[in-house]
Amino acid sequence: MADAEKVAAVRAALPSLAAGIQLDSATAGPLPAEVAAAMDQLQGYERDIGRADAGHREEQLQRNEEARAAIAAVLGGGLGAVTPTHGATEGLTLAAEAIPLRTRDIATGPLRAITTSDASGAIRRALDTWSARLAAAGRPTEVLDLEGDRDDARLLDRLDGALDERAVLVAVAHVSPTTGRVLPLRAISELAEARGAAVIADGSQAAGAIPLLVEDLAVDAYAVDGHRWLLGPEGVGGLWQRERPPATAAIDRLHPPSVVGLARAIGWLSMFVGLEFVHRRGTAMAATLAERLASIDGVELITPIASMATIVTFRIAGWEPEAALDELAHRMFLIGRGVRTSGVRPGPDAVRLSPGCWTTSDEIERVAESVRLLAGHTPESLPPRRTLAMLGAP
Protein backbone atom coordinates (compact mmCIF):
# COMPACT_ATOMS: atom_id res chain seq x y z
CA MET A 1 0.00 0.00 0.00
CA ALA A 2 0.98 3.61 -0.53
CA ASP A 3 1.29 5.49 2.75
CA ALA A 4 -1.95 7.45 2.28
CA GLU A 5 -3.89 4.25 1.58
CA LYS A 6 -2.31 2.48 4.55
CA VAL A 7 -3.07 5.38 6.91
CA ALA A 8 -6.72 5.21 5.86
CA ALA A 9 -6.82 1.45 6.48
CA VAL A 10 -5.15 1.79 9.87
CA ARG A 11 -7.49 4.58 10.94
CA ALA A 12 -10.52 2.54 9.90
CA ALA A 13 -9.36 -0.20 12.28
CA LEU A 14 -9.01 2.20 15.24
CA PRO A 15 -12.56 3.35 16.08
CA SER A 16 -11.58 5.86 18.79
CA LEU A 17 -9.88 8.06 16.19
CA ALA A 18 -13.36 9.15 15.12
CA ALA A 19 -14.01 10.57 18.59
CA GLY A 20 -11.21 13.14 18.50
CA ILE A 21 -7.56 13.79 17.74
CA GLN A 22 -5.86 11.07 19.79
CA LEU A 23 -2.46 12.41 20.80
CA ASP A 24 -1.82 10.62 24.05
CA SER A 25 -0.59 7.12 23.24
CA ALA A 26 2.14 7.79 25.81
CA THR A 27 -0.68 7.26 28.32
CA ALA A 28 -2.84 4.75 26.41
CA GLY A 29 -2.91 4.00 22.71
CA PRO A 30 -6.06 3.57 20.61
CA LEU A 31 -7.46 0.06 20.89
CA PRO A 32 -7.81 -1.75 17.54
CA ALA A 33 -11.28 -3.12 16.84
CA GLU A 34 -9.73 -6.51 16.13
CA VAL A 35 -8.19 -6.59 19.61
CA ALA A 36 -11.47 -5.70 21.31
CA ALA A 37 -13.24 -8.40 19.27
CA ALA A 38 -10.71 -11.09 20.27
CA MET A 39 -11.08 -10.19 23.94
CA ASP A 40 -14.88 -10.14 23.68
CA GLN A 41 -14.87 -13.56 22.03
CA LEU A 42 -12.90 -15.14 24.87
CA GLN A 43 -14.93 -13.38 27.54
CA GLY A 44 -18.09 -14.62 25.83
CA TYR A 45 -16.80 -18.18 25.84
CA GLU A 46 -15.92 -17.95 29.53
CA ARG A 47 -19.35 -16.50 30.27
CA ASP A 48 -21.37 -19.00 28.22
CA ILE A 49 -19.28 -22.20 28.43
CA GLY A 50 -17.13 -21.73 31.51
CA ARG A 51 -13.49 -21.35 32.50
CA ALA A 52 -12.64 -24.61 34.23
CA ASP A 53 -12.68 -27.22 31.47
CA ALA A 54 -9.35 -28.80 30.56
CA GLY A 55 -9.59 -27.90 26.89
CA HIS A 56 -10.05 -24.23 27.65
CA ARG A 57 -7.11 -24.33 30.05
CA GLU A 58 -4.86 -25.98 27.48
CA GLU A 59 -5.82 -23.42 24.86
CA GLN A 60 -5.08 -20.57 27.26
CA LEU A 61 -1.59 -21.91 27.87
CA GLN A 62 -1.07 -21.81 24.11
CA ARG A 63 -2.31 -18.21 24.03
CA ASN A 64 0.16 -17.38 26.80
CA GLU A 65 2.98 -18.67 24.63
CA GLU A 66 1.69 -16.62 21.71
CA ALA A 67 1.84 -13.51 23.92
CA ARG A 68 5.40 -14.31 24.95
CA ALA A 69 6.39 -14.77 21.32
CA ALA A 70 4.72 -11.50 20.31
CA ILE A 71 6.50 -9.56 23.06
CA ALA A 72 9.83 -11.16 22.16
CA ALA A 73 9.33 -10.25 18.50
CA VAL A 74 8.57 -6.59 19.11
CA LEU A 75 11.49 -6.28 21.55
CA GLY A 76 13.89 -8.14 19.30
CA GLY A 77 14.80 -10.58 22.05
CA GLY A 78 14.74 -14.34 22.48
CA LEU A 79 11.50 -16.07 23.43
CA GLY A 80 13.02 -17.77 26.46
CA ALA A 81 14.05 -14.44 27.97
CA VAL A 82 10.50 -12.99 28.01
CA THR A 83 7.86 -13.22 30.73
CA PRO A 84 4.39 -11.66 30.37
CA THR A 85 3.55 -9.52 33.41
CA HIS A 86 0.83 -7.22 34.68
CA GLY A 87 2.83 -4.29 33.28
CA ALA A 88 6.09 -2.39 33.52
CA THR A 89 5.85 -1.82 37.28
CA GLU A 90 5.64 -5.54 38.02
CA GLY A 91 8.34 -6.31 35.45
CA LEU A 92 10.79 -3.77 36.85
CA THR A 93 10.06 -4.89 40.41
CA LEU A 94 10.75 -8.52 39.51
CA ALA A 95 13.93 -7.49 37.71
CA ALA A 96 15.20 -5.37 40.60
CA GLU A 97 14.53 -8.14 43.11
CA ALA A 98 16.35 -10.65 40.89
CA ILE A 99 19.55 -8.59 40.73
CA PRO A 100 22.18 -10.37 42.82
CA LEU A 101 23.79 -7.98 45.28
CA ARG A 102 27.54 -8.17 45.47
CA THR A 103 29.13 -8.65 48.87
CA ARG A 104 30.09 -5.12 49.86
CA ASP A 105 31.16 -3.30 52.95
CA ILE A 106 28.13 -1.08 53.55
CA ALA A 107 29.41 0.43 56.78
CA THR A 108 30.25 3.61 54.87
CA GLY A 109 26.69 4.12 53.70
CA PRO A 110 23.58 2.57 52.16
CA LEU A 111 23.43 0.62 48.93
CA ARG A 112 22.63 2.97 46.06
CA ALA A 113 20.18 2.84 43.19
CA ILE A 114 20.55 5.51 40.53
CA THR A 115 17.81 6.91 38.33
CA THR A 116 17.02 10.19 36.56
CA SER A 117 14.76 13.06 37.53
CA ASP A 118 12.43 12.25 34.62
CA ALA A 119 12.06 8.56 35.50
CA SER A 120 8.70 6.93 34.89
CA GLY A 121 6.21 6.14 37.62
CA ALA A 122 6.89 2.44 37.05
CA ILE A 123 10.56 2.97 37.88
CA ARG A 124 9.70 4.96 41.02
CA ARG A 125 7.32 2.27 42.27
CA ALA A 126 9.79 -0.53 41.53
CA LEU A 127 12.59 1.26 43.38
CA ASP A 128 10.30 1.88 46.35
CA THR A 129 9.60 -1.86 46.55
CA TRP A 130 13.29 -2.68 46.12
CA SER A 131 14.25 -0.30 48.93
CA ALA A 132 11.54 -1.65 51.24
CA ARG A 133 12.62 -5.25 50.63
CA LEU A 134 16.23 -4.51 51.48
CA ALA A 135 15.26 -2.38 54.47
CA ALA A 136 13.24 -5.31 55.83
CA ALA A 137 16.38 -7.43 55.48
CA GLY A 138 18.40 -4.87 57.43
CA ARG A 139 20.20 -3.37 54.43
CA PRO A 140 19.76 0.40 54.10
CA THR A 141 19.41 1.91 50.64
CA GLU A 142 19.26 5.28 48.93
CA VAL A 143 17.91 6.35 45.54
CA LEU A 144 19.93 9.03 43.76
CA ASP A 145 18.24 11.16 41.10
CA LEU A 146 20.46 12.46 38.33
CA GLU A 147 19.25 15.67 36.72
CA GLY A 148 17.85 14.95 33.28
CA ASP A 149 19.90 16.55 30.54
CA ARG A 150 19.61 16.93 26.79
CA ASP A 151 23.35 16.39 26.52
CA ASP A 152 24.38 12.73 26.57
CA ALA A 153 27.95 13.51 27.59
CA ARG A 154 26.83 15.47 30.67
CA LEU A 155 24.38 12.75 31.71
CA LEU A 156 27.03 10.05 31.39
CA ASP A 157 29.52 12.20 33.31
CA ARG A 158 27.03 12.57 36.17
CA LEU A 159 26.36 8.85 36.12
CA ASP A 160 30.09 8.16 36.18
CA GLY A 161 30.41 10.25 39.32
CA ALA A 162 27.48 8.51 41.01
CA LEU A 163 28.68 4.95 40.30
CA ASP A 164 30.76 4.53 43.43
CA GLU A 165 31.38 1.32 45.37
CA ARG A 166 27.87 1.46 46.88
CA ALA A 167 26.01 1.67 43.55
CA VAL A 168 24.35 -1.63 42.68
CA LEU A 169 21.45 -0.67 40.39
CA VAL A 170 20.69 1.84 37.62
CA ALA A 171 17.03 2.22 36.59
CA VAL A 172 16.15 4.48 33.67
CA ALA A 173 13.48 4.97 31.01
CA HIS A 174 14.58 4.20 27.46
CA VAL A 175 12.46 7.15 26.31
CA SER A 176 11.71 9.88 28.84
CA PRO A 177 7.95 9.96 29.51
CA THR A 178 8.12 13.70 30.12
CA THR A 179 10.54 15.18 27.59
CA GLY A 180 10.36 12.45 24.94
CA ARG A 181 14.12 12.21 24.76
CA VAL A 182 15.73 8.88 23.84
CA LEU A 183 18.36 8.15 26.47
CA PRO A 184 21.78 6.69 25.49
CA LEU A 185 20.82 3.35 26.99
CA ARG A 186 23.69 1.26 25.65
CA ALA A 187 26.30 3.77 26.85
CA ILE A 188 24.59 3.86 30.26
CA SER A 189 24.64 0.06 30.41
CA GLU A 190 28.28 -0.22 29.44
CA LEU A 191 29.33 2.36 32.03
CA ALA A 192 27.29 0.68 34.77
CA GLU A 193 28.54 -2.80 33.87
CA ALA A 194 32.13 -1.60 34.09
CA ARG A 195 31.42 -0.52 37.68
CA GLY A 196 29.58 -3.70 38.62
CA ALA A 197 26.07 -2.22 38.67
CA ALA A 198 23.03 -3.76 36.97
CA VAL A 199 20.75 -1.80 34.61
CA ILE A 200 16.99 -2.17 34.33
CA ALA A 201 15.02 -0.08 31.83
CA ASP A 202 11.42 0.94 31.31
CA GLY A 203 10.78 0.59 27.59
CA SER A 204 7.08 1.48 27.69
CA GLN A 205 7.57 4.64 25.60
CA ALA A 206 9.88 2.87 23.15
CA ALA A 207 8.36 -0.54 22.35
CA GLY A 208 5.95 -0.05 19.47
CA ALA A 209 7.16 3.50 18.88
CA ILE A 210 10.78 3.22 17.70
CA PRO A 211 12.96 0.42 16.25
CA LEU A 212 14.23 -1.77 19.04
CA LEU A 213 16.70 -4.64 19.49
CA VAL A 214 16.80 -5.14 23.23
CA GLU A 215 19.79 -7.47 23.15
CA ASP A 216 21.89 -4.67 21.64
CA LEU A 217 21.13 -2.32 24.54
CA ALA A 218 23.28 -4.32 27.02
CA VAL A 219 20.70 -3.92 29.81
CA ASP A 220 20.04 -6.62 32.38
CA ALA A 221 16.26 -6.27 32.13
CA TYR A 222 13.74 -4.37 30.00
CA ALA A 223 10.07 -4.01 30.93
CA VAL A 224 7.11 -2.67 28.95
CA ASP A 225 3.44 -1.82 29.38
CA GLY A 226 1.13 -3.31 26.79
CA HIS A 227 -1.45 -0.53 26.68
CA ARG A 228 0.66 2.33 25.35
CA TRP A 229 2.38 2.09 21.95
CA LEU A 230 1.66 -1.63 21.66
CA LEU A 231 -2.09 -0.79 21.59
CA GLY A 232 -3.06 -3.65 23.89
CA PRO A 233 -5.35 -3.68 26.93
CA GLU A 234 -4.33 -2.36 30.33
CA GLY A 235 -3.08 -4.67 33.05
CA VAL A 236 -0.66 -6.70 30.92
CA GLY A 237 2.89 -6.17 29.68
CA GLY A 238 6.20 -7.94 29.41
CA LEU A 239 9.65 -8.36 30.93
CA TRP A 240 12.82 -9.30 29.06
CA GLN A 241 15.80 -10.45 31.14
CA ARG A 242 19.32 -11.08 29.91
CA GLU A 243 19.74 -13.90 32.43
CA ARG A 244 16.29 -15.12 33.32
CA PRO A 245 16.16 -16.35 36.94
CA PRO A 246 13.85 -19.17 38.01
CA ALA A 247 11.53 -16.82 39.97
CA THR A 248 9.34 -14.94 37.47
CA ALA A 249 5.77 -13.67 37.32
CA ALA A 250 3.14 -16.38 37.49
CA ILE A 251 1.56 -16.14 34.05
CA ASP A 252 -1.61 -17.93 35.17
CA ARG A 253 -2.39 -14.93 37.39
CA LEU A 254 -2.86 -12.72 34.34
CA HIS A 255 -6.30 -11.89 32.97
CA PRO A 256 -6.72 -14.34 30.06
CA PRO A 257 -8.62 -11.97 27.72
CA SER A 258 -5.93 -9.34 28.29
CA VAL A 259 -3.17 -11.81 27.42
CA VAL A 260 -5.02 -12.64 24.21
CA GLY A 261 -5.57 -8.95 23.56
CA LEU A 262 -1.90 -8.07 23.88
CA ALA A 263 -0.85 -10.89 21.55
CA ARG A 264 -3.45 -9.80 19.01
CA ALA A 265 -2.46 -6.13 19.28
CA ILE A 266 1.22 -6.84 18.65
CA GLY A 267 0.32 -9.22 15.84
CA TRP A 268 -1.92 -6.56 14.29
CA LEU A 269 0.88 -3.98 14.46
CA SER A 270 3.46 -6.39 13.09
CA MET A 271 1.50 -8.10 10.32
CA PHE A 272 -1.39 -5.84 9.32
CA VAL A 273 0.32 -2.46 9.75
CA GLY A 274 4.01 -3.44 9.64
CA LEU A 275 6.54 -2.29 12.22
CA GLU A 276 8.63 -0.50 9.59
CA PHE A 277 5.64 1.70 8.77
CA VAL A 278 4.72 2.11 12.45
CA HIS A 279 8.20 3.33 13.34
CA ARG A 280 8.89 5.39 10.25
CA ARG A 281 5.62 7.26 10.06
CA GLY A 282 5.11 7.64 13.79
CA THR A 283 8.48 9.31 14.32
CA ALA A 284 7.97 11.44 11.20
CA MET A 285 4.61 12.74 12.48
CA ALA A 286 6.13 13.52 15.87
CA ALA A 287 9.08 15.34 14.30
CA THR A 288 6.74 17.35 12.08
CA LEU A 289 4.65 18.38 15.09
CA ALA A 290 7.77 19.33 17.06
CA GLU A 291 9.12 21.44 14.22
CA ARG A 292 5.78 23.19 13.70
CA LEU A 293 5.45 24.01 17.39
CA ALA A 294 9.06 25.20 17.64
CA SER A 295 8.35 27.76 14.91
CA ILE A 296 5.54 29.44 16.89
CA ASP A 297 6.35 32.58 18.89
CA GLY A 298 5.51 32.05 22.53
CA VAL A 299 5.98 28.27 22.42
CA GLU A 300 8.92 26.64 24.18
CA LEU A 301 9.71 23.19 22.81
CA ILE A 302 11.12 20.98 25.55
CA THR A 303 11.59 17.82 23.49
CA PRO A 304 15.04 17.72 21.84
CA ILE A 305 14.33 17.13 18.14
CA ALA A 306 17.75 15.59 17.54
CA SER A 307 17.11 12.76 20.02
CA MET A 308 13.35 12.39 20.14
CA ALA A 309 11.03 9.41 19.73
CA THR A 310 7.27 10.01 19.40
CA ILE A 311 6.59 12.31 22.38
CA VAL A 312 6.42 16.10 21.96
CA THR A 313 6.49 18.24 25.11
CA PHE A 314 6.14 22.03 25.12
CA ARG A 315 4.98 25.09 27.04
CA ILE A 316 2.84 28.00 25.89
CA ALA A 317 3.76 31.35 27.43
CA GLY A 318 1.04 32.63 29.74
CA TRP A 319 -0.85 29.34 29.84
CA GLU A 320 -1.02 26.67 32.52
CA PRO A 321 -0.91 23.19 30.90
CA GLU A 322 -4.36 22.21 32.17
CA ALA A 323 -5.93 25.41 30.82
CA ALA A 324 -4.25 24.99 27.44
CA LEU A 325 -5.33 21.35 27.14
CA ASP A 326 -8.87 22.21 28.18
CA GLU A 327 -9.04 24.89 25.50
CA LEU A 328 -7.60 22.59 22.84
CA ALA A 329 -9.95 19.80 23.85
CA HIS A 330 -13.01 22.00 23.51
CA ARG A 331 -11.90 23.61 20.26
CA MET A 332 -10.81 20.48 18.40
CA PHE A 333 -11.55 17.40 20.55
CA LEU A 334 -7.85 16.89 21.20
CA ILE A 335 -6.67 14.28 23.72
CA GLY A 336 -3.33 15.23 25.32
CA ARG A 337 -1.72 15.23 28.74
CA GLY A 338 -0.10 17.62 31.17
CA VAL A 339 3.25 16.44 32.57
CA ARG A 340 5.71 17.61 35.17
CA THR A 341 9.19 18.00 33.74
CA SER A 342 10.74 19.26 36.98
CA GLY A 343 10.44 18.20 40.59
CA VAL A 344 10.11 21.80 41.69
CA ARG A 345 6.39 22.23 41.01
CA PRO A 346 3.62 20.06 42.50
CA GLY A 347 1.62 19.80 39.25
CA PRO A 348 2.11 19.66 35.47
CA ASP A 349 4.29 22.37 33.96
CA ALA A 350 4.12 21.33 30.29
CA VAL A 351 1.85 19.86 27.64
CA ARG A 352 2.67 16.43 26.21
CA LEU A 353 1.36 15.22 22.85
CA SER A 354 2.27 11.88 21.28
CA PRO A 355 1.40 11.24 17.62
CA GLY A 356 1.41 7.79 16.05
CA CYS A 357 1.57 6.31 12.58
CA TRP A 358 -2.22 6.83 12.37
CA THR A 359 -1.95 10.61 12.89
CA THR A 360 -2.65 12.65 9.76
CA SER A 361 -0.90 15.74 8.44
CA ASP A 362 -4.21 17.57 8.67
CA GLU A 363 -4.42 16.78 12.39
CA ILE A 364 -0.87 18.04 12.92
CA GLU A 365 -1.71 21.27 11.11
CA ARG A 366 -4.91 21.79 13.09
CA VAL A 367 -3.06 21.29 16.36
CA ALA A 368 -0.27 23.66 15.36
CA GLU A 369 -2.70 26.40 14.31
CA SER A 370 -4.72 26.02 17.51
CA VAL A 371 -1.55 26.27 19.60
CA ARG A 372 -0.57 29.34 17.57
CA LEU A 373 -3.93 30.91 18.48
CA LEU A 374 -3.38 30.26 22.17
CA ALA A 375 0.21 31.53 22.03
CA GLY A 376 -1.02 34.82 20.60
CA HIS A 377 -3.34 35.42 23.56
CA THR A 378 -3.73 35.02 27.27
CA PRO A 379 -6.58 32.95 28.69
CA GLU A 380 -8.40 36.25 29.29
CA SER A 381 -7.89 37.71 25.82
CA LEU A 382 -8.55 34.56 23.79
CA PRO A 383 -11.60 34.96 21.49
CA PRO A 384 -14.52 32.89 22.78
CA ARG A 385 -15.23 29.55 21.18
CA ARG A 386 -18.12 29.42 18.76
CA THR A 387 -21.24 27.91 20.28
CA LEU A 388 -24.34 26.41 18.74
CA ALA A 389 -27.60 28.06 19.81
CA MET A 390 -30.30 25.50 20.60
CA LEU A 391 -33.90 26.41 19.79
CA GLY A 392 -36.01 26.58 22.91
CA ALA A 393 -33.01 26.77 25.25
CA PRO A 394 -33.40 29.29 28.09
Side-chain angles (χ1 to χ4, degrees):
M1 287 185 179
D3 278 8
E5 185 181 0
K6 178 169 280 193
V7 170
V10 169
R11 290 180 67 85
L14 299 171
S16 66
L17 299 186
I21 301 178
Q22 301 284 343
L23 291 180
D24 196 17
S25 293
T27 296
L31 189 70
E34 180 178 330
V35 174
M39 295 173 66
D40 288 345
Q41 182 180 30
L42 179 55
Q43 290 181 128
Y45 181 95
E46 292 181 340
R47 178 196 65 225
D48 299 335
I49 308 301
R51 297 178 290 180
D53 65 281
H56 177 62
R57 176 64 178 166
E58 185 65 30
E59 183 175 348
Q60 188 53 41
L61 291 175
Q62 182 179 340
R63 297 293 175 264
N64 291 344
E65 288 304 298
E66 290 175 1
R68 290 180 62 223
I71 296 167
V74 81
L75 296 184
L79 176 62
V82 170
T83 300
T85 66
H86 287 97
T89 296
E90 181 179 58
L92 291 167
T93 301
L94 288 167
E97 292 181 345
I99 299 300
L101 299 178
R102 296 176 302 170
T103 302
R104 299 186 184 206
D105 178 8
I106 62 172
T108 58
L111 296 179
R112 173 178 292 170
I114 302 169
T115 187
T116 58
S117 58
D118 58 353
S120 64
I123 288 174
R124 299 289 179 190
R125 291 187 290 272
L127 289 180
D128 285 345
T129 303
W130 177 81
S131 296
R133 176 179 65 89
L134 290 178
R139 306 193 74 172
T141 63
E142 67 177 13
V143 176
L144 177 64
D145 276 15
L146 300 181
E147 184 63 32
D149 201 308
R150 297 187 183 193
D151 185 281
D152 288 355
R154 280 201 296 267
L155 175 62
L156 292 171
D157 184 62
R158 290 170 182 158
L159 177 61
D160 185 45
L163 283 167
D164 61 15
E165 68 281 356
R166 295 182 289 119
V168 296
L169 179 63
V170 177
V172 294
H174 190 178
V175 175
S176 166
T178 56
T179 68
R181 176 190 177 213
V182 181
L183 273 69
L185 195 48
R186 183 175 180 86
I188 289 172
S189 299
E190 290 174 344
L191 181 57
E193 184 176 21
R195 301 296 188 83
V199 176
I200 62 177
D202 183 356
S204 297
Q205 303 299 350
I210 60 175
L212 174 61
L213 287 174
V214 68
E215 293 180 350
D216 290 346
L217 297 175
V219 296
D220 292 274
Y222 194 94
V224 298
D225 283 323
H227 64 276
R228 303 183 197 274
W229 298 99
L230 295 178
L231 309 190
E234 294 181 284
V236 65
L239 169 67
W240 176 91
Q241 293 165 285
R242 189 196 304 182
E243 297 180 4
R244 185 182 179 190
T248 58
I251 192 169
D252 58 1
R253 292 188 292 111
L254 299 176
H255 181 233
S258 295
V259 173
V260 168
L262 179 58
R264 185 64 61 89
I266 296 175
W268 183 82
L269 282 172
S270 302
M271 294 182 282
F272 177 76
V273 186
L275 290 179
E276 185 278 332
F277 178 82
V278 169
H279 298 151
R280 171 174 57 80
R281 196 167 191 284
T283 53
M285 289 294 100
T288 299
L289 177 61
E291 291 165 359
R292 290 286 285 111
L293 294 176
S295 70
I296 300 173
D297 290 339
V299 172
E300 176 194 1
L301 184 67
I302 298 170
T303 299
I305 293 178
S307 57
M308 68 180 292
T310 47
I311 292 174
V312 181
T313 306
F314 61 98
R315 299 188 183 99
I316 306 173
W319 287 83
E320 291 294 323
E322 297 96 330
L325 283 167
D326 181 69
E327 194 65 43
L328 293 170
H330 282 87
R331 287 179 179 272
M332 56 193 306
F333 302 105
L334 179 141
I335 308 298
R337 180 60 60 107
V339 293
R340 182 173 62 185
T341 61
S342 168
V344 177
R345 294 170 48 125
D349 66 353
V351 175
R352 184 187 72 187
L353 303 179
S354 43
C357 68
W358 50 83
T359 306
T360 66
S361 298
D362 177 66
E363 287 176 330
I364 296 293
E365 191 61 28
R366 289 174 61 195
V367 171
E369 287 307 309
S370 295
V371 170
R372 185 186 301 278
L373 175 65
L374 269 61
H377 294 272
T378 65
E380 295 73 26
S381 70
L382 186 70
R385 298 187 294 268
R386 289 180 294 178
T387 58
L388 178 64
M390 302 298 291
L391 294 177

